[in-house]
Amino acid sequence: MQRILPIFSWIATYKKTNFLKDLIAGLTVGIVLVPQGMAYAMIAGLPPVYGLYASLFPVITYAFLGTSRKIAVGPVAMDSLLVAAGLGTLAISGVENYIAMVVVLALMVGAIQFLLGLFRMGFLVNFLSKPVINGFTSAAAVIIILSQLKHLLGAEISGSSRFHELLQNAIQKVGDTNPYDLGIGLLGIVLIILFKKWNKNIPIILIIVLLGILGVYLWDLKLYGVELVGEIPQGLPSFVLPDLKLEDVKRLWPIALALALVGYLEAISIGKALEEKGGEETIVANQELIALGASNMVGSLFQAYPVTASFSRSAINYETGAKTLLSSLFSVALVVITLLFLTPIFQYLPNAILASIIMVSVFSLIDLKYAKSLWNNRRDEFIILIITFLSTLFISITVGILIGVLCSLLLMVYRTSNPHFAVLGNIKNTDYYKNIRRFGDEVQVREDLLIVRFDAQLYFGNATYFKKELLRHVSEKGTDLKAVILNAEAINYIDATGADMLTKLINEIHTAGLQFYIAGAIGPTRDIIFSSGIINELHREYLFVKTKEAVSFFDDPKAVSIVGSRVAYENSKRK
């Protein structure tokens, strides 16, 4: 049951001390969710109330099926933009037909994600390295902060998903700043920062929301041009089966596939980023696909459009101390209560207060310490982080992630195609053989014997590099060299190309009048040595369990039992 419904994995051990934290986090996220949901629905080309519909049943479904304890699911800006961009290319007449297509799209997105989860395609998350996640989250945080300037300044600033466009638009509208909006927003930012430094247990975000509503109501700040959330439509969504037609499926499947993958990447990226900060690992990639898919499918039955994890609300959820997904249920409860009873109150909430909450929350996700650590220790991964950061900042969030993943894969391919190749020497008075560059005077190097270690699998990508490096060291040894020993402890796999290269290389070394030994090969590698035919060129008596045995055999073939080495091999194979 815990595998099918992950809610049982934490609810059975739920601590009473976490209830207040989840309650405060859930209510705070809910307060932000109401106006955000309405705004994002408008971005998607839908009436505002559909953003609230997307904040109900999808969130409840994820609370039962999701594995991340911190992310906040619901309508988001990126998916809203993709919905608008995708359906904008189709000839859809009338608001009702557009809404019907969006609901069908949500069902298809959910079905694709659900099927990917069932077929265990969650391994895709393994390609999101920490530098990629860090670069993505930092850039997304900057974009979201800039996107809130229109509310902080109280000016009509055009939106965008690109840093330079947002900054340019904001600079052009600085002259239209409303001092009251700016004052309210800055006061909110200062109060949040000060109270968090003083006492993190104080629900300051909830407090400033209430103060903002009270201030607008008492002093009638709307007369001074202060932007408010405004009127919120009333009523809960009804159960309606999507009007699924084959023709619509054919038209929508490319958009649905893009939304399914992007939504999954967003959720996983945000979830893993929050896990890195919190030090708690609970995300199961395949289950996340199932949870998101089920959320979108259930949501489509209640007139919701596609949802995923929200960057800003997840940050707020984390910063306000959420411990479990119970906080999501509190958010839903607030949305329901708002729709039914509290719309007259929330219409007085200043947008500048929401902007201050979002800005402070997402700023904490900009991790400069990690970037500095990579700069000092891992320059290649620092470059990956910067490429992801700049791509996300100046192109788009989705493209930024994809470019980051591609660069990580290219770096991995480069590393595996040029792995560590070490020449070994004997540590004096021991049976150990270590890298002569690392241990210097502690090792003894023989002119008649070349011992090397290859620290990677031997495959088509590095087979040529291996051969080139080995022959280079053979050449450097000169005429005194009599034999070569390959320490294969770190070689965990040899593919067909690598096996063919190694067989020909051994033959080439034998032709040059040198002997070739392999020592330390682990079980799977030994199996490949025999099954691929390498052993036919190497011969069984030159395969050893340990490097010292190969050296002893080179010095005195009678000193090491060939039969003993063969028995050791057979025993290890049977095990």
Side-chain angles (χ1 to χ4, degrees):
M1 286 301 294
Q2 287 182 1
R3 254 192 339 264
I4 298 170
L5 295 172
I7 188 173
F8 290 118
S9 65
W10 56 264
I11 201 168
T13 57
Y14 190 81
K15 298 178 181 178
K16 293 181 179 179
T17 54
N18 291 337
F19 181 82
L20 184 60
K21 295 178 180 178
D22 283 336
L23 177 63
I24 292 172
L27 294 178
T28 306
V29 171
I31 289 169
V32 177
L33 178 57
V34 171
Q36 271 195 352
M38 295 171 62
Y40 293 157
M42 294 178 69
I43 292 174
L46 295 164
V49 71
Y50 285 86
L52 300 182
Y53 293 166
S55 306
L56 296 176
F57 288 97
V59 180
I60 295 172
T61 305
Y62 183 84
F64 280 85
L65 297 175
T67 57
S68 174
R69 307 283 175 85
K70 301 292 191 298
I71 67 174
V73 170
V76 299
M78 180 57 66
D79 278 22
S80 301
L81 287 169
L82 289 174
V83 168
L87 295 184
T89 60
L90 305 178
I92 303 174
S93 60
V95 176
E96 292 184 0
N97 292 331
Y98 186 88
I99 292 171
M101 290 291 278
V102 170
V103 171
V104 171
L105 180 62
L107 178 63
M108 291 178 61
V109 169
I112 291 171
Q113 291 174 330
F114 194 84
L115 289 174
L116 288 175
L118 288 181
F119 287 108
R120 307 187 66 80
M121 300 298 288
F123 68 87
L124 295 170
V125 71
N126 296 330
F127 296 104
L128 289 173
S129 64
K130 188 174 179 180
V132 171
I133 294 171
N134 186 274
F136 155 72
T137 53
S138 298
V142 172
I143 290 171
I144 289 173
I145 288 172
L146 287 179
S147 71
Q148 296 304 306
L149 285 178
K150 63 180 179 181
H151 300 306
L152 188 70
L153 301 178
E156 291 291 333
I157 300 175
S158 301
S160 176
S161 61
R162 297 181 176 90
F163 170 79
H164 57 286
E165 292 177 357
L166 279 169
L167 188 61
Q168 182 180 0
N169 295 340
I171 292 173
Q172 291 175 351
K173 296 291 184 177
V174 168
D176 298 336
T177 300
N178 185 323
Y180 294 97
D181 277 311
L182 181 60
I184 291 171
L186 291 178
L187 180 61
I189 292 172
V190 170
L191 286 175
I192 294 172
I193 294 173
L194 290 178
F195 273 82
K196 282 187 177 297
K197 288 185 178 181
W198 177 41
N199 190 340
K200 290 186 177 181
N201 295 323
I202 297 175
I204 183 58
I205 291 178
L206 200 56
I207 290 172
I208 67 166
V209 167
L210 296 175
L211 288 176
I213 293 173
L214 192 61
V216 169
Y217 181 77
L218 292 177
W219 290 293
D220 203 7
L221 296 179
K222 187 176 180 180
L223 296 176
Y224 300 93
V226 174
E227 292 187 1
L228 306 179
V229 169
E231 184 179 353
I232 300 174
Q234 290 183 323
L236 297 178
S238 56
F239 178 87
V240 179
L241 286 174
D243 186 13
L244 194 63
K245 299 176 182 178
L246 182 60
E247 182 183 348
D248 292 338
V249 172
K250 291 179 179 179
R251 297 169 69 191
L252 293 176
W253 78 262
I255 308 168
L257 180 60
L259 275 165
L261 295 177
V262 168
Y264 172 62
L265 285 174
E266 283 186 284
I268 287 294
S269 300
I270 294 167
K272 288 179 72 68
L274 294 178
E275 279 191 346
E276 291 286 349
K277 291 181 68 66
E280 182 184 25
E281 296 184 5
T282 61
I283 290 180
V284 179
N286 291 313
Q287 182 61 32
E288 282 299 291
L289 274 169
I290 292 174
L292 288 172
S295 297
N296 279 308
M297 286 192 293
V298 171
S300 69
L301 301 177
F302 294 91
Q303 305 173 60
Y305 75 97
V307 301
T308 186
S310 164
F311 195 102
S312 57
R313 294 195 302 275
S314 297
I316 293 171
N317 200 39
Y318 175 82
E319 287 296 316
T320 48
K323 296 298 180 182
T324 67
L325 287 172
L326 189 61
S327 62
S328 297
L329 298 182
F330 290 131
S331 298
V332 171
L334 185 58
V335 173
V336 172
I337 293 171
T338 300
L339 283 169
L340 296 179
F341 309 110
L342 301 180
T343 50
I345 295 176
F346 277 89
Q347 66 180 338
Y348 293 105
L349 178 61
N351 285 335
I353 290 293
L354 291 175
S356 66
I357 295 170
I358 293 172
M359 283 175 150
V360 175
S361 297
V362 301
F363 183 79
S364 64
L365 294 178
I366 301 175
D367 193 350
L368 296 177
K369 289 183 179 179
Y370 181 69
K372 184 179 179 181
S373 173
L374 289 182
W375 171 257
N376 292 331
N377 303 305
R378 305 297 296 269
R379 295 287 176 89
D380 52 355
E381 294 192 49
F382 175 80
I383 293 173
I384 299 294
L385 185 151
I386 292 298
I387 290 174
T388 306
F389 177 80
L390 295 177
S391 300
T392 304
L393 211 59
F394 293 101
I395 303 176
S396 74
I397 291 176
T398 309
V399 173
I401 295 175
L402 295 177
I403 290 177
V405 169
L406 178 61
C407 290
S408 293
L409 292 175
L410 290 175
L411 179 61
M412 180 187 70
V413 170
Y414 174 77
R415 285 175 175 169
T416 58
S417 62
N418 295 271
H420 186 238
F421 192 101
V423 177
L424 309 182
N426 178 237
I427 300 291
K428 298 174 182 177
N429 303 318
T430 71
D431 292 330
Y432 296 108
Y433 289 81
K434 300 294 182 181
N435 190 341
I436 61 175
R437 291 186 177 180
R438 290 181 179 272
F439 289 84
D441 296 336
E442 298 180 41
V443 299
Q444 295 175 325
V445 181
R446 296 174 54 166
E447 295 301 322
D448 60 342
L449 193 59
L450 173 63
I451 307 173
V452 297
R453 189 185 71 231
F454 192 65
D455 295 337
Q457 61 174 303
L458 189 57
Y459 77 115
F460 66 91
N462 58 28
T464 303
Y465 172 79
F466 173 86
K467 180 178 180 179
K468 180 181 177 181
E469 285 295 299
L470 184 61
L471 292 179
R472 181 173 67 84
H473 286 292
V474 168
S475 176
E476 289 176 355
K477 280 288 186 179
T479 56
D480 293 332
L481 182 64
K482 303 300 180 184
V484 176
I485 299 176
L486 171 61
N487 182 307
E489 293 174 356
I491 301 176
N492 56 20
Y493 180 74
I494 304 175
D495 75 350
T497 304
D500 182 64
M501 179 279 301
L502 188 57
T503 302
K504 292 178 180 178
L505 180 61
I506 294 172
N507 178 266
E508 187 176 337
I509 289 175
H510 287 166
T511 303
L514 305 176
Q515 193 51 262
F516 194 90
Y517 306 80
I518 295 179
I522 61 175
T525 305
R526 284 199 300 271
D527 291 343
I528 294 172
I529 289 173
F530 276 82
S531 63
S532 65
I534 296 174
I535 197 67
N536 297 330
E537 186 64 42
L538 177 70
H539 302 305
R540 295 168 183 261
E541 59 266 32
Y542 298 107
L543 181 64
F544 295 90
V545 176
K546 297 180 180 179
T547 301
K548 68 175 183 178
E549 293 179 358
V551 174
S552 298
F553 184 82
F554 170 75
D555 290 332
D556 184 3
K558 296 180 181 180
V560 178
S561 171
I562 300 174
V563 176
S565 293
R566 178 60 183 166
V567 169
Y569 164 74
E570 291 293 349
N571 288 338
S572 65
K573 186 177 180 181
R574 281 196 293 271
K575 290 180 181 178

